[in-house]
Amino acid sequence: QVQLVESGGGLVQAGGSLRLSCAASGRTFSSYAMGWFRQAPGKEREFVTAITWSGGSTYYADSVKGRFTISRDNAKNTVYLQMNSLKPEDTAVYYCGAAYRATVQAVYAYSYDYWGQGTQVTVSS
């Protein structure tokens, strides 16, 4: 199985930046689309961004377009989320997920086979 561990979360002021990392175990990392979802207290988990297994396509929620960038390094079994111009409404636990050979389906939570434990991102106003 694939194990995912997120890191890089923390407390930042509005307008600041953070970079999240998701380190994956296993030898088949490149076979999975990788995505980031987030969940705030009292709210459902929502899609943030995803990247296909080849890295050829990326997808972003409208709320983060132009501010967040997803990338992956298959040689390091790691996916990254660069978050710029952070807003208080970005505050949430951010989860990394792996979806086997997903393409556009990576924008849907049901496509994911594995999830990390999450990392807290808090943006103060």
Side-chain angles (χ1 to χ4, degrees):
Q1 64 175 16
V2 175
Q3 294 183 345
L4 306 173
V5 180
E6 302 95 335
S7 63
L11 175 64
V12 64
Q13 292 186 332
S17 298
L18 285 173
R19 188 184 73 161
L20 306 184
S21 298
C22 175
S25 66
R27 295 180 292 275
T28 59
F29 174 77
S30 62
S31 298
Y32 293 81
M34 301 296 295
W36 291 94
F37 287 69
R38 65 189 182 186
Q39 188 167 21
K43 296 184 178 180
E44 296 183 350
R45 185 179 298 183
E46 67 173 352
F47 169 76
V48 177
T49 182
I51 186 167
T52 56
W53 62 271
S54 68
S57 297
T58 57
Y59 307 92
Y60 294 93
D62 289 342
S63 60
V64 305
K65 286 181 179 177
R67 300 189 298 120
F68 291 11
T69 302
I70 188 172
S71 62
R72 67 187 298 162
D73 187 336
N74 290 344
K76 297 181 179 179
N77 284 4
T78 302
V79 63
Y80 304 95
L81 178 61
Q82 179 66 47
M83 305 185 293
N84 299 325
S85 301
L86 283 162
K87 304 175 180 179
E89 52 262 44
D90 295 318
T91 295
V93 176
Y94 282 70
Y95 295 93
C96 175
Y100 185 68
R101 292 197 171 184
T103 52
V104 67
Q105 296 83 14
V107 305
Y108 303 113
Y110 67 74
S111 298
Y112 288 80
D113 303 288
Y114 302 99
W115 295 95
Q117 292 298 306
T119 186
Q120 177 71 48
V121 172
T122 302
V123 184
S124 62
S125 61

